[in-house]
Amino acid sequence: MGKKFNAKAIRKWLSENIIIVLIFLASVYVSTQNKNFLSQNNIRNLLSNTAVRFIIACGVSGCLITKGTDLSAGRVAGLAACLSGILMQRADYGSRFYPNMPELPMIVVLLIVLAVCGAIGAINGSVIAFLKVPPFIATLGMQTLVYGACLVYTGAIPIGGLRTEYTGMATGYVGTRMLSNLTIVAIGVGIVMWFLYNKTRYGKYMYAIGGNENAAEVAGINVNKSKIKIYMLAGVLYGLTGFLMCAKSGGCSVNTAQGWELEAIAGCTIGGVSVNGGVGTIPGILIGVLVFEVLKIVLQFLGVESSYTYIAQGLVIIIAVALDLRKYLAKK
């Protein structure tokens, strides 16, 4: 009986995590064929890329856990990047957006960006909570609205001439040259989000709403208020993502972080966040985002054309959601 049970449990685990297993096996194969795959530079880049995408995925995760979604995540992060870049341009830069504005402290710029993006998230949450607009439609509309506003604001002009302390913050390293500042920030965000999800009313209410919204309301949870908080925090995390991404890239444009909301949803789903609500963990999200980033690198080392990588990523997203729905139906 014990052996049968173990075999059944292993088969179940493999079927539920087939994407992670396949990408891991592909990574092992590539590492045996190309020694650069496990080089310090490659791992360092992997961690830095995972860090910024993990932060945006943490924001999206709360929306998914409450049976919602946020298709505006990438565009809000792009707006945050543009706003950060504009406010962090050097005073002597010839094409400065605001020529006569004094240089603002970096922390002030960060707070401005987080406030703007948090306000956008609060609007998303309010529309969903009070107007009862489905999250898919509400955030799709916000996605287009924010993109249009960013185009009008920036004039679709690329933003450069960033201050060195800003770009250095994102490209610097702590101690050894393996952990970047971005990775440290992402670890900090992960710890805070884990605490929120597991040790506070915020997390308990979020999981309760995702599990059964009507039951949560009957139990005395202010569902509308909780949803606004969840989407507002998501907006703040998108703002932080854009702020870091602009510094990391040394510049930005209206197309910065384009499509990142889909990668965030994919990372969350691969990591065990259910689109049916009520399920998801921060460590799982980290694993999902990391696996999705590893997939990109594996495809690059295998010599797959960039056009085909989008096809592969799309297939992974479809399979991840299909497996999640399969688990949900099996439980029913």
Side-chain angles (χ1 to χ4, degrees):
M1 285 291 292
K3 289 183 178 179
K4 284 186 178 180
F5 176 78
N6 289 336
K8 185 178 179 181
I10 291 171
R11 282 199 301 271
K12 181 183 177 184
W13 185 88
L14 286 173
S15 66
E16 292 178 352
N17 297 277
I18 188 65
I19 294 175
I20 295 175
V21 172
L22 289 176
I23 294 176
F24 173 76
L25 292 176
S27 302
V28 172
Y29 170 76
V30 172
S31 66
T32 60
Q33 301 299 309
N34 193 320
K35 62 180 181 180
N36 290 327
F37 184 78
L38 294 177
S39 67
Q40 185 175 350
N41 284 337
N42 194 40
I43 294 175
R44 189 167 56 217
N45 291 333
L46 170 64
L47 293 177
S48 293
N49 290 335
T50 300
V52 287
R53 286 168 172 81
F54 171 65
I55 295 171
I56 195 173
C58 283
V60 172
S61 68
C63 308
L64 293 174
I65 289 171
T66 54
K67 289 186 179 178
T69 190
D70 195 344
L71 298 180
S72 67
R75 291 305 188 187
V76 175
L79 174 65
C82 290
L83 189 56
S84 302
I86 287 170
L87 297 178
M88 290 301 299
Q89 286 180 319
R90 299 191 311 271
D92 61 350
Y93 182 57
S95 301
R96 199 176 187 215
F97 199 86
Y98 295 119
N100 300 319
M101 186 183 73
E103 290 189 351
L104 298 174
M106 188 159 54
I107 186 64
V108 172
V109 173
L110 174 60
L111 291 175
I112 291 172
V113 170
L114 296 186
V116 170
C117 295
I120 294 172
I123 293 171
N124 271 337
S126 298
V127 170
I128 292 165
F130 295 118
L131 301 182
K132 306 303 178 185
V133 176
F136 178 87
I137 301 299
T139 58
L140 179 62
M142 184 60 77
Q143 177 194 79
T144 309
L145 190 156
V146 169
Y147 182 57
C150 194
L151 280 170
V152 171
Y153 178 55
T154 64
I157 299 172
I159 298 161
L162 306 182
R163 285 150 51 184
T164 53
E165 66 265 29
Y166 177 47
T167 55
M169 173 272 301
T171 55
Y173 291 85
V174 177
T176 65
R177 293 190 59 81
M178 185 61 72
L179 291 180
S180 66
N181 292 339
L182 291 180
T183 305
I184 298 300
V185 171
I187 291 171
V189 169
I191 292 171
V192 171
M193 294 301 292
W194 180 90
F195 182 81
L196 275 178
Y197 281 17
N198 294 279
K199 302 296 181 181
T200 67
R201 287 183 181 179
Y202 176 97
K204 291 177 183 178
Y205 290 174
M206 179 183 69
Y207 286 112
I209 293 169
N212 189 321
E213 186 172 324
N214 292 329
E217 200 161 5
V218 170
I221 296 174
N222 189 328
V223 173
N224 289 343
K225 183 179 178 181
S226 295
K227 284 185 177 180
I228 292 171
K229 284 183 178 179
I230 289 165
Y231 279 86
M232 184 168 66
L233 176 60
V236 169
L237 291 173
Y238 307 154
L240 178 59
T241 300
F243 180 83
L244 296 174
M245 190 60 196
C246 181
K248 179 177 181 289
S249 303
C252 60
S253 71
V254 291
N255 292 320
T256 297
Q258 183 176 5
W260 278 30
E261 65 278 354
L262 300 180
E263 292 188 17
I265 292 170
C268 287
T269 308
I270 294 170
V273 177
S274 176
V275 294
N276 294 293
V279 178
T281 66
I282 295 300
I285 295 165
L286 176 59
I287 292 172
V289 174
L290 180 62
V291 165
F292 203 70
E293 287 304 305
V294 169
L295 170 64
K296 296 177 189 176
I297 295 175
V298 165
L299 293 174
Q300 288 175 2
F301 273 87
L302 288 175
V304 177
E305 290 183 25
S306 59
S307 303
Y308 291 100
T309 60
Y310 290 107
I311 296 174
Q313 291 172 32
L315 287 173
V316 167
I317 293 172
I318 293 170
I319 293 170
V321 174
L323 290 173
D324 174 60
L325 291 173
R326 183 176 167 222
K327 287 188 285 185
Y328 175 74
L329 293 172
K331 288 178 182 178
K332 290 185 69 177

